[in-house]
PDB file of all heavy atoms in Angstrom:
ATOM      1  N   SER A 263     -26.588  17.549   6.961  1.00 44.00           N
ATOM      2  CA  SER A 263     -27.777  17.528   7.793  1.00 44.00           C
ATOM      3  C   SER A 263     -28.325  16.134   8.038  1.00 44.00           C
ATOM      4  O   SER A 263     -28.923  15.889   9.090  1.00 44.00           O
ATOM      5  CB  SER A 263     -28.845  18.490   7.245  1.00 44.00           C
ATOM      6  OG  SER A 263     -29.241  18.004   6.004  1.00 44.00           O
ATOM      7  N   GLU A 264     -28.160  15.222   7.069  1.00 42.00           N
ATOM      8  CA  GLU A 264     -28.783  13.876   7.210  1.00 42.00           C
ATOM      9  C   GLU A 264     -27.812  12.823   7.604  1.00 42.00           C
ATOM     10  O   GLU A 264     -28.105  11.691   7.753  1.00 42.00           O
ATOM     11  CB  GLU A 264     -29.412  13.479   5.814  1.00 42.00           C
ATOM     12  CG  GLU A 264     -30.573  14.413   5.454  1.00 42.00           C
ATOM     13  CD  GLU A 264     -31.716  14.391   6.476  1.00 42.00           C
ATOM     14  OE1 GLU A 264     -31.955  13.377   7.069  1.00 42.00           O
ATOM     15  OE2 GLU A 264     -32.279  15.503   6.678  1.00 42.00           O
ATOM     16  N   ALA A 265     -26.521  13.194   7.731  1.00 40.00           N
ATOM     17  CA  ALA A 265     -25.523  12.157   8.017  1.00 40.00           C
ATOM     18  C   ALA A 265     -25.622  11.628   9.433  1.00 40.00           C
ATOM     19  O   ALA A 265     -25.890  12.357  10.356  1.00 40.00           O
ATOM     20  CB  ALA A 265     -24.144  12.720   7.782  1.00 40.00           C
ATOM     21  N   ARG A 266     -25.376  10.316   9.586  1.00 45.00           N
ATOM     22  CA  ARG A 266     -25.432   9.661  10.896  1.00 45.00           C
ATOM     23  C   ARG A 266     -24.100   9.121  11.303  1.00 45.00           C
ATOM     24  O   ARG A 266     -23.872   8.909  12.537  1.00 45.00           O
ATOM     25  CB  ARG A 266     -26.491   8.556  10.897  1.00 45.00           C
ATOM     26  CG  ARG A 266     -27.928   9.057  10.780  1.00 45.00           C
ATOM     27  CD  ARG A 266     -28.889   7.926  10.983  1.00 45.00           C
ATOM     28  NE  ARG A 266     -28.875   6.983   9.893  1.00 45.00           N
ATOM     29  CZ  ARG A 266     -28.350   5.709   9.967  1.00 45.00           C
ATOM     30  NH1 ARG A 266     -27.893   5.322  11.115  1.00 45.00           N
ATOM     31  NH2 ARG A 266     -28.364   4.907   8.912  1.00 45.00           N
ATOM     32  N   MET A 267     -23.220   8.769  10.372  1.00 45.00           N
ATOM     33  CA  MET A 267     -22.015   8.045  10.724  1.00 45.00           C
ATOM     34  C   MET A 267     -20.716   8.894  10.615  1.00 45.00           C
ATOM     35  O   MET A 267     -19.779   8.563  11.203  1.00 45.00           O
ATOM     36  CB  MET A 267     -21.837   6.853   9.768  1.00 45.00           C
ATOM     37  CG  MET A 267     -22.901   5.797   9.953  1.00 45.00           C
ATOM     38  SD  MET A 267     -22.752   4.484   8.784  1.00 45.00           S
ATOM     39  CE  MET A 267     -21.099   3.877   9.097  1.00 45.00           C
ATOM     40  N   ALA A 268     -20.760   9.916   9.843  1.00 42.00           N
ATOM     41  CA  ALA A 268     -19.549  10.651   9.571  1.00 42.00           C
ATOM     42  C   ALA A 268     -19.055  11.449  10.758  1.00 42.00           C
ATOM     43  O   ALA A 268     -19.890  11.930  11.570  1.00 42.00           O
ATOM     44  CB  ALA A 268     -19.728  11.550   8.331  1.00 42.00           C
ATOM     45  N   PRO A 269     -17.745  11.656  10.908  1.00 44.00           N
ATOM     46  CA  PRO A 269     -17.251  12.450  12.036  1.00 44.00           C
ATOM     47  C   PRO A 269     -17.339  13.916  11.822  1.00 44.00           C
ATOM     48  O   PRO A 269     -17.313  14.369  10.691  1.00 44.00           O
ATOM     49  CB  PRO A 269     -15.720  12.002  12.046  1.00 44.00           C
ATOM     50  CG  PRO A 269     -15.458  11.673  10.621  1.00 44.00           C
ATOM     51  CD  PRO A 269     -16.680  11.045  10.037  1.00 44.00           C
ATOM     52  N   GLU A 270     -17.443  14.674  12.884  1.00 47.00           N
ATOM     53  CA  GLU A 270     -17.397  16.107  12.908  1.00 47.00           C
ATOM     54  C   GLU A 270     -18.304  16.815  11.906  1.00 47.00           C
ATOM     55  O   GLU A 270     -19.428  17.153  12.171  1.00 47.00           O
ATOM     56  CB  GLU A 270     -15.889  16.549  12.711  1.00 47.00           C
ATOM     57  CG  GLU A 270     -15.016  16.013  13.866  1.00 47.00           C
ATOM     58  CD  GLU A 270     -13.605  16.520  13.730  1.00 47.00           C
ATOM     59  OE1 GLU A 270     -13.275  17.255  12.743  1.00 47.00           O
ATOM     60  OE2 GLU A 270     -12.810  16.076  14.577  1.00 47.00           O
ATOM     61  N   ASP A 271     -17.792  17.097  10.648  1.00 48.00           N
ATOM     62  CA  ASP A 271     -18.643  17.842   9.747  1.00 48.00           C
ATOM     63  C   ASP A 271     -19.753  17.022   9.103  1.00 48.00           C
ATOM     64  O   ASP A 271     -20.623  17.621   8.355  1.00 48.00           O
ATOM     65  CB  ASP A 271     -17.806  18.592   8.711  1.00 48.00           C
ATOM     66  CG  ASP A 271     -17.130  17.624   7.714  1.00 48.00           C
ATOM     67  OD1 ASP A 271     -17.462  16.421   7.728  1.00 48.00           O
ATOM     68  OD2 ASP A 271     -16.220  18.059   7.018  1.00 48.00           O
ATOM     69  N   GLY A 272     -19.778  15.679   9.283  1.00 52.00           N
ATOM     70  CA  GLY A 272     -20.888  14.858   8.889  1.00 52.00           C
ATOM     71  C   GLY A 272     -20.971  14.497   7.419  1.00 52.00           C
ATOM     72  O   GLY A 272     -21.871  13.845   6.954  1.00 52.00           O
ATOM     73  N   ARG A 273     -19.950  14.805   6.620  1.00 64.00           N
ATOM     74  CA  ARG A 273     -19.996  14.429   5.211  1.00 64.00           C
ATOM     75  C   ARG A 273     -19.355  13.123   4.957  1.00 64.00           C
ATOM     76  O   ARG A 273     -18.345  12.822   5.594  1.00 64.00           O
ATOM     77  CB  ARG A 273     -19.333  15.532   4.363  1.00 64.00           C
ATOM     78  CG  ARG A 273     -20.097  16.858   4.357  1.00 64.00           C
ATOM     79  CD  ARG A 273     -19.350  17.893   3.592  1.00 64.00           C
ATOM     80  NE  ARG A 273     -17.952  18.137   4.098  1.00 64.00           N
ATOM     81  CZ  ARG A 273     -17.212  19.072   3.661  1.00 64.00           C
ATOM     82  NH1 ARG A 273     -17.578  19.884   2.718  1.00 64.00           N
ATOM     83  NH2 ARG A 273     -16.009  19.240   4.213  1.00 64.00           N
ATOM     84  N   ASP A 274     -19.890  12.345   4.051  1.00 71.00           N
ATOM     85  CA  ASP A 274     -19.239  11.031   3.773  1.00 71.00           C
ATOM     86  C   ASP A 274     -17.878  11.173   3.226  1.00 71.00           C
ATOM     87  O   ASP A 274     -17.040  10.320   3.449  1.00 71.00           O
ATOM     88  CB  ASP A 274     -20.128  10.279   2.711  1.00 71.00           C
ATOM     89  CG  ASP A 274     -21.334   9.619   3.433  1.00 71.00           C
ATOM     90  OD1 ASP A 274     -21.185   9.198   4.584  1.00 71.00           O
ATOM     91  OD2 ASP A 274     -22.394   9.623   2.841  1.00 71.00           O
ATOM     92  N   VAL A 275     -17.585  12.326   2.541  1.00 77.00           N
ATOM     93  CA  VAL A 275     -16.190  12.522   2.048  1.00 77.00           C
ATOM     94  C   VAL A 275     -15.267  12.662   3.210  1.00 77.00           C
ATOM     95  O   VAL A 275     -14.057  12.257   3.166  1.00 77.00           O
ATOM     96  CB  VAL A 275     -16.111  13.679   1.101  1.00 77.00           C
ATOM     97  CG1 VAL A 275     -16.325  15.012   1.817  1.00 77.00           C
ATOM     98  CG2 VAL A 275     -14.787  13.688   0.329  1.00 77.00           C
ATOM     99  N   SER A 276     -15.727  13.233   4.324  1.00 77.00           N
ATOM    100  CA  SER A 276     -14.888  13.308   5.497  1.00 77.00           C
ATOM    101  C   SER A 276     -14.718  11.942   6.172  1.00 77.00           C
ATOM    102  O   SER A 276     -13.697  11.674   6.810  1.00 77.00           O
ATOM    103  CB  SER A 276     -15.471  14.331   6.524  1.00 77.00           C
ATOM    104  OG  SER A 276     -15.436  15.628   5.984  1.00 77.00           O
ATOM    105  N   LEU A 277     -15.754  11.136   6.088  1.00 81.00           N
ATOM    106  CA  LEU A 277     -15.672   9.770   6.561  1.00 81.00           C
ATOM    107  C   LEU A 277     -14.545   9.036   5.857  1.00 81.00           C
ATOM    108  O   LEU A 277     -13.783   8.251   6.517  1.00 81.00           O
ATOM    109  CB  LEU A 277     -16.959   9.057   6.332  1.00 81.00           C
ATOM    110  CG  LEU A 277     -17.092   7.623   6.884  1.00 81.00           C
ATOM    111  CD1 LEU A 277     -16.832   7.611   8.400  1.00 81.00           C
ATOM    112  CD2 LEU A 277     -18.428   7.020   6.520  1.00 81.00           C
ATOM    113  N   LEU A 278     -14.328   9.264   4.509  1.00 86.00           N
ATOM    114  CA  LEU A 278     -13.238   8.609   3.819  1.00 86.00           C
ATOM    115  C   LEU A 278     -11.909   8.993   4.450  1.00 86.00           C
ATOM    116  O   LEU A 278     -11.015   8.127   4.630  1.00 86.00           O
ATOM    117  CB  LEU A 278     -13.251   9.030   2.372  1.00 86.00           C
ATOM    118  CG  LEU A 278     -14.491   8.807   1.581  1.00 86.00           C
ATOM    119  CD1 LEU A 278     -14.241   9.099   0.087  1.00 86.00           C
ATOM    120  CD2 LEU A 278     -15.044   7.407   1.717  1.00 86.00           C
ATOM    121  N   ARG A 279     -11.730  10.266   4.782  1.00 88.00           N
ATOM    122  CA  ARG A 279     -10.474  10.745   5.406  1.00 88.00           C
ATOM    123  C   ARG A 279     -10.276  10.084   6.732  1.00 88.00           C
ATOM    124  O   ARG A 279      -9.192   9.612   7.108  1.00 88.00           O
ATOM    125  CB  ARG A 279     -10.527  12.257   5.513  1.00 88.00           C
ATOM    126  CG  ARG A 279      -9.212  12.856   5.992  1.00 88.00           C
ATOM    127  CD  ARG A 279      -9.362  14.356   5.943  1.00 88.00           C
ATOM    128  NE  ARG A 279      -8.102  15.039   6.218  1.00 88.00           N
ATOM    129  CZ  ARG A 279      -7.836  16.299   6.008  1.00 88.00           C
ATOM    130  NH1 ARG A 279      -8.747  17.026   5.442  1.00 88.00           N
ATOM    131  NH2 ARG A 279      -6.662  16.842   6.310  1.00 88.00           N
ATOM    132  N   HIS A 280     -11.380   9.984   7.522  1.00 89.00           N
ATOM    133  CA  HIS A 280     -11.325   9.365   8.841  1.00 89.00           C
ATOM    134  C   HIS A 280     -10.904   7.874   8.752  1.00 89.00           C
ATOM    135  O   HIS A 280     -10.049   7.383   9.464  1.00 89.00           O
ATOM    136  CB  HIS A 280     -12.632   9.543   9.526  1.00 89.00           C
ATOM    137  CG  HIS A 280     -12.757   8.794  10.798  1.00 89.00           C
ATOM    138  ND1 HIS A 280     -12.161   9.210  12.045  1.00 89.00           N
ATOM    139  CD2 HIS A 280     -13.361   7.632  11.177  1.00 89.00           C
ATOM    140  CE1 HIS A 280     -12.419   8.343  12.969  1.00 89.00           C
ATOM    141  NE2 HIS A 280     -13.184   7.426  12.474  1.00 89.00           N
ATOM    142  N   TRP A 281     -11.557   7.145   7.776  1.00 90.00           N
ATOM    143  CA  TRP A 281     -11.229   5.760   7.613  1.00 90.00           C
ATOM    144  C   TRP A 281      -9.775   5.568   7.206  1.00 90.00           C
ATOM    145  O   TRP A 281      -9.123   4.675   7.700  1.00 90.00           O
ATOM    146  CB  TRP A 281     -12.127   5.191   6.536  1.00 90.00           C
ATOM    147  CG  TRP A 281     -13.501   4.829   6.980  1.00 90.00           C
ATOM    148  CD1 TRP A 281     -13.971   4.737   8.283  1.00 90.00           C
ATOM    149  CD2 TRP A 281     -14.661   4.486   6.176  1.00 90.00           C
ATOM    150  NE1 TRP A 281     -15.280   4.335   8.319  1.00 90.00           N
ATOM    151  CE2 TRP A 281     -15.715   4.183   7.035  1.00 90.00           C
ATOM    152  CE3 TRP A 281     -14.833   4.401   4.795  1.00 90.00           C
ATOM    153  CZ2 TRP A 281     -17.000   3.823   6.592  1.00 90.00           C
ATOM    154  CZ3 TRP A 281     -16.063   3.995   4.330  1.00 90.00           C
ATOM    155  CH2 TRP A 281     -17.150   3.738   5.203  1.00 90.00           C
ATOM    156  N   THR A 282      -9.285   6.412   6.286  1.00 94.00           N
ATOM    157  CA  THR A 282      -7.918   6.244   5.865  1.00 94.00           C
ATOM    158  C   THR A 282      -6.940   6.429   7.015  1.00 94.00           C
ATOM    159  O   THR A 282      -5.997   5.649   7.201  1.00 94.00           O
ATOM    160  CB  THR A 282      -7.598   7.235   4.737  1.00 94.00           C
ATOM    161  OG1 THR A 282      -8.506   7.091   3.659  1.00 94.00           O
ATOM    162  CG2 THR A 282      -6.198   7.140   4.296  1.00 94.00           C
ATOM    163  N   ARG A 283      -7.123   7.477   7.740  1.00 95.00           N
ATOM    164  CA  ARG A 283      -6.255   7.827   8.924  1.00 95.00           C
ATOM    165  C   ARG A 283      -6.262   6.640   9.934  1.00 95.00           C
ATOM    166  O   ARG A 283      -5.233   6.238  10.483  1.00 95.00           O
ATOM    167  CB  ARG A 283      -6.645   9.114   9.539  1.00 95.00           C
ATOM    168  CG  ARG A 283      -5.681   9.656  10.616  1.00 95.00           C
ATOM    169  CD  ARG A 283      -4.360  10.020  10.038  1.00 95.00           C
ATOM    170  NE  ARG A 283      -3.341   8.989  10.198  1.00 95.00           N
ATOM    171  CZ  ARG A 283      -2.190   9.030   9.606  1.00 95.00           C
ATOM    172  NH1 ARG A 283      -1.885  10.029   8.784  1.00 95.00           N
ATOM    173  NH2 ARG A 283      -1.307   8.061   9.814  1.00 95.00           N
ATOM    174  N   GLU A 284      -7.475   6.174  10.229  1.00 94.00           N
ATOM    175  CA  GLU A 284      -7.625   5.053  11.161  1.00 94.00           C
ATOM    176  C   GLU A 284      -6.812   3.857  10.760  1.00 94.00           C
ATOM    177  O   GLU A 284      -6.159   3.224  11.576  1.00 94.00           O
ATOM    178  CB  GLU A 284      -9.141   4.732  11.250  1.00 94.00           C
ATOM    179  CG  GLU A 284      -9.455   3.582  12.242  1.00 94.00           C
ATOM    180  CD  GLU A 284     -10.862   3.206  12.232  1.00 94.00           C
ATOM    181  OE1 GLU A 284     -11.478   3.186  11.115  1.00 94.00           O
ATOM    182  OE2 GLU A 284     -11.447   2.966  13.300  1.00 94.00           O
ATOM    183  N   ARG A 285      -6.887   3.553   9.472  1.00 96.00           N
ATOM    184  CA  ARG A 285      -6.133   2.348   8.993  1.00 96.00           C
ATOM    185  C   ARG A 285      -4.615   2.601   8.985  1.00 96.00           C
ATOM    186  O   ARG A 285      -3.877   1.628   9.333  1.00 96.00           O
ATOM    187  CB  ARG A 285      -6.676   2.000   7.580  1.00 96.00           C
ATOM    188  CG  ARG A 285      -7.994   1.264   7.649  1.00 96.00           C
ATOM    189  CD  ARG A 285      -8.900   1.438   6.426  1.00 96.00           C
ATOM    190  NE  ARG A 285     -10.123   0.678   6.634  1.00 96.00           N
ATOM    191  CZ  ARG A 285     -11.111   1.035   7.452  1.00 96.00           C
ATOM    192  NH1 ARG A 285     -11.033   2.150   8.189  1.00 96.00           N
ATOM    193  NH2 ARG A 285     -12.183   0.286   7.569  1.00 96.00           N
ATOM    194  N   LEU A 286      -4.192   3.749   8.633  1.00 97.00           N
ATOM    195  CA  LEU A 286      -2.744   4.018   8.522  1.00 97.00           C
ATOM    196  C   LEU A 286      -2.191   4.047   9.985  1.00 97.00           C
ATOM    197  O   LEU A 286      -1.039   3.575  10.170  1.00 97.00           O
ATOM    198  CB  LEU A 286      -2.499   5.303   7.806  1.00 97.00           C
ATOM    199  CG  LEU A 286      -2.801   5.337   6.319  1.00 97.00           C
ATOM    200  CD1 LEU A 286      -2.430   6.659   5.716  1.00 97.00           C
ATOM    201  CD2 LEU A 286      -2.088   4.217   5.574  1.00 97.00           C
ATOM    202  N   ASP A 287      -2.939   4.503  10.947  1.00 97.00           N
ATOM    203  CA  ASP A 287      -2.492   4.504  12.300  1.00 97.00           C
ATOM    204  C   ASP A 287      -2.306   3.076  12.909  1.00 97.00           C
ATOM    205  O   ASP A 287      -1.666   2.890  13.889  1.00 97.00           O
ATOM    206  CB  ASP A 287      -3.443   5.291  13.185  1.00 97.00           C
ATOM    207  CG  ASP A 287      -3.354   6.800  12.964  1.00 97.00           C
ATOM    208  OD1 ASP A 287      -2.277   7.262  12.398  1.00 97.00           O
ATOM    209  OD2 ASP A 287      -4.271   7.530  13.354  1.00 97.00           O
ATOM    210  N   ALA A 288      -2.966   2.100  12.288  1.00 97.00           N
ATOM    211  CA  ALA A 288      -2.952   0.775  12.816  1.00 97.00           C
ATOM    212  C   ALA A 288      -1.909  -0.156  12.133  1.00 97.00           C
ATOM    213  O   ALA A 288      -1.761  -1.288  12.536  1.00 97.00           O
ATOM    214  CB  ALA A 288      -4.322   0.085  12.552  1.00 97.00           C
ATOM    215  N   LEU A 289      -1.063   0.403  11.253  1.00 98.00           N
ATOM    216  CA  LEU A 289      -0.103  -0.359  10.513  1.00 98.00           C
ATOM    217  C   LEU A 289       0.930  -0.950  11.490  1.00 98.00           C
ATOM    218  O   LEU A 289       1.311  -0.301  12.475  1.00 98.00           O
ATOM    219  CB  LEU A 289       0.562   0.416   9.475  1.00 98.00           C
ATOM    220  CG  LEU A 289      -0.340   0.976   8.349  1.00 98.00           C
ATOM    221  CD1 LEU A 289       0.477   1.822   7.355  1.00 98.00           C
ATOM    222  CD2 LEU A 289      -1.052  -0.169   7.656  1.00 98.00           C
ATOM    223  N   HIS A 290       1.488  -2.158  11.164  1.00 98.00           N
ATOM    224  CA  HIS A 290       2.349  -2.846  12.089  1.00 98.00           C
ATOM    225  C   HIS A 290       3.833  -2.738  11.660  1.00 98.00           C
ATOM    226  O   HIS A 290       4.727  -2.857  12.540  1.00 98.00           O
ATOM    227  CB  HIS A 290       1.973  -4.352  12.003  1.00 98.00           C
ATOM    228  CG  HIS A 290       0.686  -4.623  12.686  1.00 98.00           C
ATOM    229  ND1 HIS A 290       0.501  -4.724  14.057  1.00 98.00           N
ATOM    230  CD2 HIS A 290      -0.577  -4.851  12.148  1.00 98.00           C
ATOM    231  CE1 HIS A 290      -0.742  -4.959  14.347  1.00 98.00           C
ATOM    232  NE2 HIS A 290      -1.446  -5.112  13.154  1.00 98.00           N
ATOM    233  N   THR A 291       4.147  -2.696  10.393  1.00 98.00           N
ATOM    234  CA  THR A 291       5.558  -2.793   9.973  1.00 98.00           C
ATOM    235  C   THR A 291       6.165  -1.472   9.561  1.00 98.00           C
ATOM    236  O   THR A 291       5.457  -0.529   9.130  1.00 98.00           O
ATOM    237  CB  THR A 291       5.607  -3.779   8.748  1.00 98.00           C
ATOM    238  OG1 THR A 291       5.033  -3.212   7.592  1.00 98.00           O
ATOM    239  CG2 THR A 291       4.990  -5.101   9.095  1.00 98.00           C
ATOM    240  N   ASP A 292       7.477  -1.406   9.607  1.00 98.00           N
ATOM    241  CA  ASP A 292       8.148  -0.157   9.196  1.00 98.00           C
ATOM    242  C   ASP A 292       7.952   0.099   7.693  1.00 98.00           C
ATOM    243  O   ASP A 292       7.703   1.270   7.314  1.00 98.00           O
ATOM    244  CB  ASP A 292       9.650  -0.224   9.525  1.00 98.00           C
ATOM    245  CG  ASP A 292       9.865  -0.124  11.024  1.00 98.00           C
ATOM    246  OD1 ASP A 292       9.028   0.431  11.695  1.00 98.00           O
ATOM    247  OD2 ASP A 292      10.980  -0.600  11.471  1.00 98.00           O
ATOM    248  N   PRO A 293       8.103  -0.880   6.831  1.00 98.00           N
ATOM    249  CA  PRO A 293       7.876  -0.634   5.375  1.00 98.00           C
ATOM    250  C   PRO A 293       6.426  -0.142   5.121  1.00 98.00           C
ATOM    251  O   PRO A 293       6.179   0.730   4.305  1.00 98.00           O
ATOM    252  CB  PRO A 293       8.123  -1.955   4.734  1.00 98.00           C
ATOM    253  CG  PRO A 293       9.010  -2.690   5.640  1.00 98.00           C
ATOM    254  CD  PRO A 293       8.625  -2.245   7.021  1.00 98.00           C
ATOM    255  N   GLY A 294       5.488  -0.738   5.879  1.00 98.00           N
ATOM    256  CA  GLY A 294       4.069  -0.279   5.700  1.00 98.00           C
ATOM    257  C   GLY A 294       3.850   1.154   6.108  1.00 98.00           C
ATOM    258  O   GLY A 294       3.196   1.893   5.427  1.00 98.00           O
ATOM    259  N   ARG A 295       4.472   1.515   7.278  1.00 98.00           N
ATOM    260  CA  ARG A 295       4.300   2.874   7.749  1.00 98.00           C
ATOM    261  C   ARG A 295       5.009   3.885   6.782  1.00 98.00           C
ATOM    262  O   ARG A 295       4.436   5.013   6.593  1.00 98.00           O
ATOM    263  CB  ARG A 295       4.847   2.972   9.142  1.00 98.00           C
ATOM    264  CG  ARG A 295       3.994   2.363  10.249  1.00 98.00           C
ATOM    265  CD  ARG A 295       4.438   2.645  11.636  1.00 98.00           C
ATOM    266  NE  ARG A 295       5.586   1.867  11.953  1.00 98.00           N
ATOM    267  CZ  ARG A 295       5.475   0.724  12.624  1.00 98.00           C
ATOM    268  NH1 ARG A 295       4.353   0.210  12.956  1.00 98.00           N
ATOM    269  NH2 ARG A 295       6.654   0.043  12.958  1.00 98.00           N
ATOM    270  N   ARG A 296       6.147   3.536   6.230  1.00 98.00           N
ATOM    271  CA  ARG A 296       6.783   4.407   5.263  1.00 98.00           C
ATOM    272  C   ARG A 296       5.868   4.638   4.050  1.00 98.00           C
ATOM    273  O   ARG A 296       5.742   5.818   3.597  1.00 98.00           O
ATOM    274  CB  ARG A 296       8.123   3.849   4.851  1.00 98.00           C
ATOM    275  CG  ARG A 296       9.243   3.955   5.902  1.00 98.00           C
ATOM    276  CD  ARG A 296      10.615   3.734   5.316  1.00 98.00           C
ATOM    277  NE  ARG A 296      10.769   2.335   4.874  1.00 98.00           N
ATOM    278  CZ  ARG A 296      11.219   1.389   5.598  1.00 98.00           C
ATOM    279  NH1 ARG A 296      11.552   1.591   6.901  1.00 98.00           N
ATOM    280  NH2 ARG A 296      11.428   0.185   5.120  1.00 98.00           N
ATOM    281  N   LEU A 297       5.365   3.586   3.510  1.00 98.00           N
ATOM    282  CA  LEU A 297       4.414   3.749   2.344  1.00 98.00           C
ATOM    283  C   LEU A 297       3.208   4.451   2.765  1.00 98.00           C
ATOM    284  O   LEU A 297       2.623   5.290   2.000  1.00 98.00           O
ATOM    285  CB  LEU A 297       4.099   2.381   1.743  1.00 98.00           C
ATOM    286  CG  LEU A 297       3.287   2.376   0.499  1.00 98.00           C
ATOM    287  CD1 LEU A 297       3.933   3.239  -0.625  1.00 98.00           C
ATOM    288  CD2 LEU A 297       3.134   0.929  -0.090  1.00 98.00           C
ATOM    289  N   GLY A 298       2.729   4.263   3.991  1.00 98.00           N
ATOM    290  CA  GLY A 298       1.590   4.939   4.461  1.00 98.00           C
ATOM    291  C   GLY A 298       1.735   6.352   4.557  1.00 98.00           C
ATOM    292  O   GLY A 298       0.856   7.158   4.214  1.00 98.00           O
ATOM    293  N   ARG A 299       2.895   6.811   4.967  1.00 97.00           N
ATOM    294  CA  ARG A 299       3.187   8.263   5.066  1.00 97.00           C
ATOM    295  C   ARG A 299       3.141   8.904   3.656  1.00 97.00           C
ATOM    296  O   ARG A 299       2.606  10.022   3.446  1.00 97.00           O
ATOM    297  CB  ARG A 299       4.520   8.526   5.729  1.00 97.00           C
ATOM    298  CG  ARG A 299       4.489   8.370   7.242  1.00 97.00           C
ATOM    299  CD  ARG A 299       5.731   8.888   7.861  1.00 97.00           C
ATOM    300  NE  ARG A 299       6.903   8.082   7.483  1.00 97.00           N
ATOM    301  CZ  ARG A 299       7.358   7.030   8.172  1.00 97.00           C
ATOM    302  NH1 ARG A 299       6.697   6.622   9.235  1.00 97.00           N
ATOM    303  NH2 ARG A 299       8.476   6.389   7.821  1.00 97.00           N
ATOM    304  N   GLU A 300       3.695   8.172   2.709  1.00 97.00           N
ATOM    305  CA  GLU A 300       3.705   8.734   1.283  1.00 97.00           C
ATOM    306  C   GLU A 300       2.235   8.820   0.729  1.00 97.00           C
ATOM    307  O   GLU A 300       1.894   9.776   0.138  1.00 97.00           O
ATOM    308  CB  GLU A 300       4.522   7.781   0.439  1.00 97.00           C
ATOM    309  CG  GLU A 300       4.502   8.114  -1.056  1.00 97.00           C
ATOM    310  CD  GLU A 300       5.266   7.083  -1.869  1.00 97.00           C
ATOM    311  OE1 GLU A 300       6.286   6.574  -1.370  1.00 97.00           O
ATOM    312  OE2 GLU A 300       4.819   6.791  -2.994  1.00 97.00           O
ATOM    313  N   ARG A 301       1.418   7.789   0.988  1.00 97.00           N
ATOM    314  CA  ARG A 301       0.109   7.816   0.480  1.00 97.00           C
ATOM    315  C   ARG A 301      -0.799   8.846   1.278  1.00 97.00           C
ATOM    316  O   ARG A 301      -1.720   9.459   0.676  1.00 97.00           O
ATOM    317  CB  ARG A 301      -0.544   6.429   0.562  1.00 97.00           C
ATOM    318  CG  ARG A 301       0.164   5.479  -0.351  1.00 97.00           C
ATOM    319  CD  ARG A 301      -0.631   4.174  -0.565  1.00 97.00           C
ATOM    320  NE  ARG A 301       0.051   3.317  -1.560  1.00 97.00           N
ATOM    321  CZ  ARG A 301      -0.464   2.201  -2.058  1.00 97.00           C
ATOM    322  NH1 ARG A 301      -1.685   1.806  -1.631  1.00 97.00           N
ATOM    323  NH2 ARG A 301       0.181   1.530  -2.929  1.00 97.00           N
ATOM    324  N   TRP A 302      -0.524   9.059   2.514  1.00 97.00           N
ATOM    325  CA  TRP A 302      -1.313  10.017   3.275  1.00 97.00           C
ATOM    326  C   TRP A 302      -1.013  11.476   2.757  1.00 97.00           C
ATOM    327  O   TRP A 302      -1.946  12.307   2.774  1.00 97.00           O
ATOM    328  CB  TRP A 302      -0.914   9.939   4.784  1.00 97.00           C
ATOM    329  CG  TRP A 302      -1.653  11.003   5.541  1.00 97.00           C
ATOM    330  CD1 TRP A 302      -1.150  12.074   6.205  1.00 97.00           C
ATOM    331  CD2 TRP A 302      -3.036  11.012   5.847  1.00 97.00           C
ATOM    332  NE1 TRP A 302      -2.132  12.771   6.882  1.00 97.00           N
ATOM    333  CE2 TRP A 302      -3.361  12.127   6.659  1.00 97.00           C
ATOM    334  CE3 TRP A 302      -4.153  10.147   5.502  1.00 97.00           C
ATOM    335  CZ2 TRP A 302      -4.595  12.445   7.141  1.00 97.00           C
ATOM    336  CZ3 TRP A 302      -5.408  10.453   5.943  1.00 97.00           C
ATOM    337  CH2 TRP A 302      -5.661  11.625   6.784  1.00 97.00           C
TER     338      TRP A 302
END
């Protein structure tokens, strides 16, 4: 109810998920993307 920055459901824990996905989608290298898929 008080969240201003988080996406959709408004919880900061969901913001963490959004931040992670945003960063993994921006990766440049094949080795980085492979490791990113594993961590995701």
Side-chain angles (χ1 to χ4, degrees):
S263 62
E264 296 301 322
R266 292 188 291 110
M267 293 176 59
E270 297 182 4
D271 66 12
R273 293 178 301 187
D274 281 324
V275 70
S276 296
L277 182 60
L278 304 188
R279 186 175 188 164
H280 174 76
W281 279 348
T282 302
R283 187 67 261 169
E284 179 184 43
R285 281 151 179 76
L286 294 181
D287 286 344
L289 298 179
H290 292 279
T291 68
D292 289 338
R295 286 188 284 266
R296 286 195 294 271
L297 185 54
R299 286 192 292 270
E300 177 185 323
R301 294 193 176 187
W302 179 249

